[in-house]
Amino acid sequence: MKVLVPVKRVIDYNVKVRVKADKTGVETSNVKMSMNPFDEISVEEAIRMKESGVVEEIIIVSIGVQQCQETIRTGLAMGADRGIHVKSDEDLEPLAIAKILKHLVEKESPKVVILGKQAIDDDSNQTGQMLAALLGWSQGTFASKIEFNGDKANITREIDSGLENIEVSLPTILTVDLRLNEPRYASLPNIMKAKKKPIDEFTPDELNVDTKPRLETLSVEEPPVRQAGVMVESVTALVEKLKNEARVI
Ligand code: AMP
């Protein structure tokens, strides 16, 4: 079967993000960008599925600016087979991304789409769920274990109260959590090989997808600066402070 792995190009998780002076968003010029860390986990899982013989072809998809092709190449260097780049210079919302992915799913007919549980830039945690709804497919979100069993898959989900085991029917949408696996580094020969793997290019207009924003960002603010701490003289003074001054969270 084919598996589609959407990967987002985001500000690298090591970068200290700064809000733009006009508060319309965050600074992205001259900032290191990388593959969304959760998406590295989904690429790794797809490769393990291929290595175990469950999957025949892995297609990496990225939607966004021209440099998304570098992010696709990272996935190809890890071991994916080919890429699709949907080029857009606009900041697309999860609904627009889900509509584009729906179109690509209809074109490519994968049995499984594996996404990150969330993108670390917008923290939306919406795209996978919206895609499942648009397609009318089953979904297994926050997966920390995935096992295929014929036309079904057993998914262990990380939920607030522990782990939940569910069975989903294929075709399905999966979103991955942090503990699913540890992504591999691409080797130099694989980075060289990835340069020759094909990447198809489209625009949202060519796919006839309405990407009009539904949300308006009013302003983006820096988080409040943390107050300095105080040293207490004794345990009694600490207990006293905790009793009388601690805020209820
Ligand atoms: P979000 O709903 O924005 O938190 O994103 C969840 C997941 O959707 C990400 O981990 C990616 O797998 C996928 N995704 C979101 N935006 C894009 C994009 N521009 N291109 C490809 N995949 C994306």
Side-chain angles (χ1 to χ4, degrees), residues 6-8 36 38-39 42 61-64 94 97 101 114-119 122-128:
V7 301
K8 187 174 188 186
N36 181 41
F38 289 104
D39 303 349
S42 30
V61 182
S62 194
I63 303 156
I97 301 292
L101 292 174
I114 315 183
L115 305 94
K117 76 164 178 179
Q118 72 193 61
D122 59 19
D123 271 348
S124 292
N125 175 8
Q126 292 172 351
T127 309

Side-chain angles (χ1 to χ4, degrees), residues 46-142:
I47 296 168
R48 291 186 190 193
M49 283 151 71
K50 192 173 174 190
E51 285 169 347
S52 68
V54 182
V55 160
E56 277 114 44
E57 189 181 30
I58 303 168
I59 308 165
I60 303 280
V61 182
S62 194
I63 303 156
V65 293
Q66 185 61 32
Q67 294 90 325
C68 285
Q69 294 211 3
E70 293 162 19
T71 316
I72 296 175
R73 293 268 172 226
T74 305
L76 298 178
M78 285 170 76
D81 298 289
R82 62 185 169 97
I84 299 178
H85 176 212
V86 180
K87 189 167 181 287
S88 171
D89 291 332
E90 279 155 47
D91 213 357
L92 298 177
E93 292 170 4
L95 180 60
I97 301 292
K99 285 184 192 168
I100 292 172
L101 292 174
K102 173 178 184 266
H103 198 99
L104 296 176
V105 165
E106 284 163 355
K107 192 168 166 342
E108 295 286 348
S109 312
K111 277 273 174 65
V112 181
V113 183
I114 315 183
L115 305 94
K117 76 164 178 179
Q118 72 193 61
I120 60 165
D121 54 358
D122 59 19
D123 271 348
S124 292
N125 175 8
Q126 292 172 351
T127 309
Q129 294 87 330
M130 285 177 168
L131 178 60
L134 290 173
L135 288 165
W137 285 13
S138 64
Q139 57 180 297
T141 52
F142 313 117

Side-chain angles (χ1 to χ4, degrees), residues 225-238:
V225 180
R226 202 165 164 224
Q227 303 284 315
V230 286
M231 296 292 285
V232 287
E233 305 270 299
S234 64
V235 173
T236 323
L238 173 65

Side-chain angles (χ1 to χ4, degrees), residues 178-225:
L178 213 55
R179 273 165 283 267
L180 180 63
N181 62 45
E182 201 161 311
R184 70 194 63 193
Y185 290 105
S187 65
L188 194 56
N190 285 347
I191 294 174
M192 302 311 288
K193 269 192 224 154
K195 290 187 201 285
K196 297 209 178 85
K197 294 184 180 174
I199 300 180
D200 289 333
E201 292 175 46
F202 300 99
T203 63
D205 282 349
E206 280 167 352
L207 300 178
N208 204 14
V209 177
D210 161 26
T211 56
K212 205 169 70 228
R214 266 61 176 178
L215 304 173
E216 184 190 351
T217 302
L218 301 178
S219 87
V220 177
E221 313 277 342
E222 294 276 356
V225 180

